[in-house]
Amino acid sequence: MRVGIFAKTFAGTTPDVVLAAARNAGYASVQYNFACSGLGALPQTIPIAAVTAIREASERTGVAIAAFSATYNMIHPDSTVREAGRRSFAAIAAAARPAGATLLTVCTGSRDAADQWRDHPDNQGVEAWQDMVAEFGHLLAVAEQHDIFIGVEPELANVINSAAKARRLIETMASERIRIVLDPANLFESEDTETRGRIIDEAIDLLKDRIAIAHAKDRNADGSFATAGRGVIDYPRYVASLRKAGFDGDVITHGLSAVEAPGVAAFLGPLVASEGPNT
């Protein structure tokens, strides 16, 4: 396994600056956002020079690009907003392989028009599911064209709000292009110790054949988010469960400040490097 971080944790609008900051904080990879190239999170055109700059910065710094963010609200109530997101996804997909990665992360969306990460009572309705499936139909065609993969993250506030829903999506779309981004802190809000561990273990077991990236953030006992290692999630158990499932990819932290980044790298590094028991 490799320890990584969201690139946009660090200030900067050039990949050289951002990737050097990630390296200096102790990270081997990043989940890259095009805002780090000064293009905004969802550019609709990406200059060749920007693609080359990412690839060359990765080579110079030794920091790998684990994935590119292409997260837009896939079930936004305004279809024109979805169409704009789709165009950005296509632009990022075209740039991904030349820039150094084959995975694009997405947001399965919320009916909340203002915040794709905020829950809405219509998110679990039939129409929301149908809109999401239709959107994936568009994205999968793009993924096939550019030979890339789509990373789907179960999020409590989105259509795909559990490991079971993620499995349903995989079976519905019947495409090897669908991969999973698994964040243990997005699988529950406030649960007792044993329930937390069981939910995380069961999610990994259910999705183990598709997990491309493991995320690393945490929860406080009151349900609020916390920096990895500072909350209630049993990280040794989480990493051991990933290892038991055969996962050997990037463990990528986010939801932290640049100041906190070195400490989290120091916390995660020994865990992912350990050859501890697979239990």
Side-chain angles (χ1 to χ4, degrees):
M1 298 184 204
R2 221 166 32 181
V3 179
I5 191 169
F6 272 24
K8 67 178 182 179
T9 305
F10 305 102
T13 55
T14 65
D16 271 316
V17 168
V18 173
L19 296 188
R23 177 199 60 204
N24 294 341
Y27 294 91
S29 66
V30 296
Q31 186 168 322
Y32 198 83
N33 189 302
F34 274 95
C36 298
S37 291
L39 299 174
L42 289 169
Q44 300 213 344
T45 59
I46 300 172
I48 293 296
V51 174
T52 302
I54 294 169
R55 185 182 67 250
E56 291 181 350
S58 176
E59 292 169 354
R60 278 192 293 271
T61 60
V63 175
I65 309 298
F68 286 104
S69 172
T71 54
Y72 68 97
N73 191 342
M74 292 179 70
I75 63 160
H76 194 285
D78 185 342
S79 63
T80 62
V81 174
R82 298 199 299 269
E83 289 165 4
R86 203 181 300 153
R87 289 193 296 272
S88 292
F89 179 93
I92 296 169
R97 270 190 175 275
T102 60
L103 184 71
L104 270 61
T105 60
V106 299
C107 170
T108 59
S110 173
R111 288 297 200 207
D112 189 301
D115 186 350
Q116 64 190 352
W117 309 114
R118 187 162 58 200
D119 201 5
H120 189 280
D122 293 340
N123 284 358
Q124 300 309 312
V126 173
E127 288 186 1
W129 180 269
Q130 291 173 338
D131 281 351
M132 181 200 65
V133 167
E135 202 68 16
F136 269 108
H138 294 296
L139 300 192
L140 285 168
V142 175
E144 289 287 346
Q145 178 185 355
H146 296 291
D147 191 19
I148 54 93
F149 299 88
I150 303 172
V152 177
E153 184 172 357
E155 297 259 5
L156 293 179
N158 287 168
V159 178
I160 302 300
N161 64 350
S162 66
K165 284 284 182 67
R167 192 79 239 177
R168 179 185 170 194
L169 174 67
I170 290 166
E171 293 170 357
T172 298
M173 303 312 299
S175 171
E176 288 296 319
R177 299 286 172 183
I178 300 288
R179 291 290 186 266
I180 297 299
V181 177
L182 189 75
D183 190 328
N186 287 343
L187 300 173
F188 65 90
E189 284 187 350
S190 182
E191 301 285 356
D192 61 71
T193 301
E194 186 49 42
T195 303
R196 287 194 302 268
R198 177 179 53 78
I199 289 171
I200 295 167
D201 288 346
E202 289 178 353
I204 292 170
D205 187 59
L206 183 62
L207 300 170
K208 61 187 177 184
D209 62 319
R210 296 295 183 106
I211 300 173
I213 281 178
H215 272 178
K217 66 175 185 289
D218 220 322
R219 288 272 189 184
N220 292 310
D222 64 4
S224 59
F225 286 119
T227 300
R230 297 185 180 177
V232 297
I233 291 176
D234 184 341
Y235 261 85
R237 177 174 174 171
Y238 169 51
V239 173
S241 187
L242 288 167
R243 184 174 285 110
K244 182 180 179 181
F247 178 78
D248 192 30
D250 292 274
V251 179
I252 294 182
T253 191
H254 67 107
L256 71 166
S257 69
V259 171
E260 294 174 300
V264 174
F267 167 69
L268 291 174
L271 291 178
V272 304
S274 171
E275 296 297 333
N278 292 334
T279 59

